[in-house]
Amino acid sequence: MADFRIQAGFINLLFVIWVSTAVLGFRSCAEPTSDKQALIDFISRIRHISSRVRWDLSTPACNWTGVVCDSSQTYVYELRLPGVGLLGPIPPDTIGRLSLLRVLSLRSNRLSGPVPADFGNLTRLRSLYLQDNLISGSFPEGLTGLNRIDVSSNQFDGEIPASIGNMILQTLFLQKNRFSGAIPAILNTSALVGFDVSNNNLTGEIPETLSKFPESSFSGNLQLCGKPLPPCGGRTPPQPSSSPSPSPSTSGGKNSGRLKSGAIVAIAVGIIVALLLLLLLLFCFFKRRGRRGAEPSQPPMPASTAEAGESSSKEEVLREDSKHKLVFLGGEKYGFDLEDLLRASAEVLGKGSTGSSYKAELDDGTAVAVKRLKEVAAEKQEFDTQLALLGQIRHENVVKLIAYYYSKDEKLLISDYIPAGSLSSLLHGSSGSSRLPLDWITRFRIGLTAARGLHHLHTAAKTPHGNMKSFNVLITKSLEACISDYGMNSLFGPSTVPTRVTGYRAPEVQQQAELVSFKSDVYSFGVVLLELLTGKTPNEVASLGEDGIDLPRWVQSVMAEAFDAEVAGKGVEEEMAAVLQLAMKCVEAVEERRPEMWEVVRMLEMVESGEFESPLNPKEGQI
């Protein structure tokens, strides 16, 4: 009996082991069979000229380049194939079969033709990135659950689908296409942080829900009107009443006479009122003109309760003569002057190493940024020369300087106001703010456009930035970079704060502040790239280890483990590793080993197009 029990127990144990092995074996081999076949059909039917798509059909699809599955590996969650050399139309009945797909990125290829109609089956899709292709036709119908859309720089035509208005969008980029018709009103814009429909053929009035976005988001549509563009004209005047008016033949002569007398009285009263108003306006004009002549001018230093220590400065009167005015730059004309800035409502944007910045909103609704410089050592002639040079710079990734003010006691810079804030606040958040996660595509785009702006600064003005850091990388509504606070080092003394910014200074600048150069800018830009990759600030890294550790040294010690968990593990490791390799070249301790900015831009563009291989997946012959 005992032997029977032992045998029964042994048999049960073998059964459990067998079942467990079968289950584990099933799980280890689990993969989305139907989704895999759809991907095989896709890659076998589309032309591609790059070797980056290395799909071994004998291995699970979840291990393929650009393919990310859910945690149970039962369906394809993301398909990311940016810049891999895909050519021609997207084959139908392929991607449209990935019914549970959440993220689709086919950007920066050479895709053409219309989007297949079966894309409407992708009801779970949340992010669609098709920018920088040659795709034509109408926008795909049925994609009602999207949060992020970027189909810019294509050849889409037809109307923007009305269904977009019901989506809860975070970004919508449709610029540089051929869309026509009216812009549908987006009902919920609370989460919408990036919007651009510029350079299309759109017509009609801009919906009120979208009027908060800047003029650049709508420019290039000649028949578009309404805030923030000029108001729509050609309104049909109200028609007169259709009820018949009394005529002399139907009205008595007595009544007709009374109407004429009343009209005469009304005209006389109107003339008298108009004369009185004219006299009142003339009185106010001469009184104001007399007050202007009696009072000395004061600089436009908007005060705010947030900066009580400086608020009294607005009441300080400059003992300067009337020659001190705003000097406008770049040969452009603007409709405001010094007094308009004085009257403007102000909001403190922040205090930096070179001074305090304000947002000033003029009476006509225009917003500009005003920076009040401190500790300026340059004399007026040197200041004028440098600002005239910087004021000529016009590039989409460099903040435009509009004007400046120079007096003995005050130096002010007026520039374009960039509403989305800085890369630092977008990447790391600010006190009391809730930030949206930044995906890798957005981070890469910010890094690339910041590099283009810095390269243009080096070539156009032939002057170093001198204070490159994430605080000075401002973000436009289209989530591209616009570098600010540039070319100011020569205006300050050697002890001024810009050279004491920790974490971004090249080793040679740490030793001697006057050694700011193009190559020291490259070092600082490399640190910004490391911020984008790691999600950490230089100060945050310094608190992780021994005294004196900086972001480049920390990244070098942990390498790929430094990637920000917010973006890592989502099929973008190869691009991130390639950018990491470039960033480490930028932060070389020896100045001569760092690349030039044109080389940095070129390498980033190669990463975008898939030509620059990462160390995780080198080309043949590379190490």
Side-chain angles (χ1 to χ4, degrees):
M1 187 67 176
D3 290 342
F4 176 76
R5 288 179 178 174
I6 292 172
Q7 290 176 357
F10 181 69
I11 291 171
N12 287 337
L13 178 61
L14 286 177
F15 179 75
V16 170
I17 292 173
W18 177 79
V19 171
S20 300
T21 303
V23 171
L24 290 173
F26 174 77
R27 287 183 178 176
S28 64
C29 296
E31 68 167 316
T33 306
S34 60
D35 285 1
K36 180 177 182 178
Q37 188 58 51
L39 292 173
I40 291 173
D41 292 345
F42 168 74
I43 204 63
S44 62
R45 292 169 54 188
I46 192 168
R47 293 174 57 205
H48 51 96
I49 58 175
S50 171
S51 59
R52 292 193 67 191
V53 185
R54 300 184 182 92
W55 288 356
D56 184 350
L57 305 187
S58 64
T59 61
C62 298
N63 297 337
W64 292 352
T65 300
V67 178
V68 178
C69 295
D70 68 308
S71 57
S72 61
Q73 296 194 334
T74 56
Y75 63 89
V76 174
Y77 187 88
E78 298 181 5
L79 178 60
R80 296 179 180 269
L81 298 173
V84 295
L86 302 178
L87 300 174
I90 302 172
D93 195 30
T94 56
I95 293 177
R97 286 153 49 194
L98 304 175
S99 58
L100 298 179
L101 191 68
R102 294 296 184 91
V103 179
L104 176 61
S105 175
L106 302 176
R107 63 179 174 87
S108 303
N109 285 287
R110 291 167 63 187
L111 298 170
S112 59
V115 174
D118 59 12
F119 266 43
N121 300 330
L122 304 178
T123 56
R124 298 289 187 91
L125 196 65
R126 296 294 176 263
S127 301
L128 178 64
Y129 304 105
L130 300 177
Q131 66 266 36
D132 299 315
N133 281 287
L134 301 170
I135 300 173
S136 58
S138 58
F139 188 87
E141 295 284 351
L143 302 177
T144 57
L146 291 171
N147 302 133
R148 296 176 180 270
I149 301 173
D150 192 340
V151 297
S152 58
S153 300
N154 277 286
Q155 298 175 11
F156 281 100
D157 54 25
E159 295 189 354
I160 301 172
S163 57
I164 282 182
N166 298 319
M167 299 178 189
I168 302 177
L169 293 168
Q170 296 179 28
T171 54
L172 177 61
F173 299 132
L174 308 179
Q175 68 268 28
K176 298 179 182 178
N177 278 284
R178 301 170 182 173
F179 286 111
S180 58
I183 303 174
I186 298 177
L187 302 179
N188 188 339
T189 59
S190 58
L192 191 60
V193 296
F195 176 83
D196 197 334
V197 293
S198 60
N199 297 302
N200 280 283
N201 301 315
L202 298 171
T203 59
E205 188 168 6
I206 295 171
E208 186 177 353
T209 54
L210 299 173
S211 61
K212 65 178 182 179
F213 291 100
E215 183 177 341
S216 59
S217 295
F218 306 94
S219 62
N221 295 281
L222 300 181
Q223 298 185 52
L224 205 58
C225 58
K227 189 178 179 182
L229 298 180
C232 298
R235 301 295 186 195
T236 303
Q239 298 297 320
S241 173
S242 59
S243 57
S245 57
S247 62
S249 60
T250 57
S251 302
K254 190 174 181 180
N255 289 337
S256 178
R258 287 177 182 173
L259 285 173
K260 290 180 180 179
S261 300
I264 292 171
V265 171
I267 291 170
V269 171
I271 292 172
I272 294 171
V273 171
L275 288 172
L276 290 174
L277 287 174
L278 179 61
L279 290 172
L280 181 61
L281 288 172
L282 288 172
F283 174 77
C284 292
F285 172 77
F286 285 111
K287 183 178 179 181
R288 182 178 177 186
R289 185 175 180 182
R291 186 165 60 248
R292 279 189 183 180
E295 294 179 359
S297 63
Q298 52 186 355
M301 297 173 294
S304 167
T305 55
E307 198 172 49
E310 295 187 5
S311 61
S312 60
S313 298
K314 190 174 181 180
E315 282 73 39
E316 294 176 2
V317 178
L318 286 181
R319 296 173 178 83
E320 300 285 338
D321 58 34
S322 59
K323 68 180 180 181
H324 293 292
K325 299 177 181 179
L326 288 181
V327 179
F328 289 94
L329 300 167
E332 300 178 49
K333 296 182 179 180
Y334 295 88
F336 65 91
D337 57 17
L338 190 64
E339 186 169 345
D340 292 322
L341 282 181
L342 281 173
R343 291 197 306 266
S345 61
E347 173 189 346
V348 176
L349 298 175
K351 296 181 181 180
S353 54
T354 56
S356 300
S357 297
Y358 306 85
K359 172 191 174 183
E361 188 163 346
L362 304 172
D363 290 342
D364 64 357
T366 303
V368 295
V370 180
K371 183 156 190 174
R372 184 184 185 192
L373 300 176
K374 62 182 181 182
E375 301 183 35
V376 173
E379 296 296 330
K380 188 175 188 305
Q381 183 176 358
E382 182 183 355
F383 192 95
D384 290 344
T385 301
Q386 182 67 2
L387 266 295
L389 175 67
L390 299 178
Q392 297 297 321
I393 299 173
R394 294 292 182 265
H395 189 271
E396 59 186 348
N397 301 124
V398 180
V399 173
K400 181 172 67 176
L401 284 173
I402 295 174
Y404 69 89
Y405 176 90
Y406 185 100
S407 73
K408 180 180 178 181
D409 299 317
E410 296 293 339
K411 288 85 180 171
L412 304 157
L413 298 181
I414 296 91
S415 61
D416 275 352
Y417 171 66
I418 310 296
S422 70
L423 172 60
S424 179
S425 61
L426 198 64
L427 189 59
H428 309 300
S430 55
S431 57
S433 69
S434 56
R435 59 174 291 272
L436 292 171
L438 272 185
D439 59 30
W440 172 245
I441 291 177
T442 304
R443 296 188 193 201
F444 181 86
R445 189 67 184 170
I446 290 172
L448 174 58
T449 50
R452 288 171 177 164
L454 188 57
H455 167 54
H456 183 81
L457 182 66
H458 286 183
T459 55
K462 301 190 184 303
T463 184
H465 185 292
N467 196 18
M468 190 68 193
K469 55 183 179 178
S470 60
F471 294 95
N472 290 333
V473 178
L474 304 184
I475 308 301
T476 67
K477 283 293 185 182
S478 58
L479 296 180
E480 292 192 352
C482 216
I483 62 173
S484 66
D485 206 26
Y486 48 85
M488 298 294 166
N489 279 68
S490 63
L491 304 179
F492 299 93
S495 61
T496 310
V497 183
T499 57
R500 295 203 292 266
V501 178
T502 59
Y504 297 93
R505 292 177 301 161
E508 66 272 15
V509 179
Q510 296 180 34
Q511 300 295 326
Q512 189 174 351
E514 291 80 6
L515 294 179
V516 169
S517 65
F518 296 143
K519 287 297 185 77
S520 68
D521 276 356
V522 172
Y523 183 97
S524 301
F525 179 76
V527 177
V528 173
L529 285 181
L530 293 178
E531 277 188 81
L532 288 166
L533 289 162
T534 65
K536 297 185 183 298
T537 66
N539 290 337
E540 184 180 356
V541 168
S543 66
L544 296 177
E546 59 188 271
D547 292 340
I549 193 170
D550 58 11
L551 186 54
R553 286 176 57 198
W554 178 78
V555 171
Q556 193 171 25
S557 66
V558 296
M559 292 307 288
E561 295 177 12
F563 290 159
D564 190 352
E566 190 171 278
V567 292
K570 297 183 178 179
V572 294
E573 285 78 8
E574 284 192 21
E575 276 195 14
M576 294 181 72
V579 176
L580 174 61
Q581 186 181 36
L582 172 58
M584 297 310 293
K585 290 179 182 292
C586 293
V587 296
E588 282 275 4
V590 180
E591 186 176 358
E592 290 76 16
R593 294 179 182 173
R594 299 171 204 152
E596 303 285 347
M597 273 312 301
W598 71 265
E599 296 176 290
V600 175
V601 172
R602 173 60 184 147
M603 284 186 273
L604 286 172
E605 289 175 343
M606 289 173 67
V607 171
E608 184 179 41
S609 64
E611 300 173 39
F612 183 81
E613 295 290 335
S614 79
L616 298 181
N617 196 5
K619 291 182 178 178
E620 185 177 353
Q622 290 183 338
I623 298 177

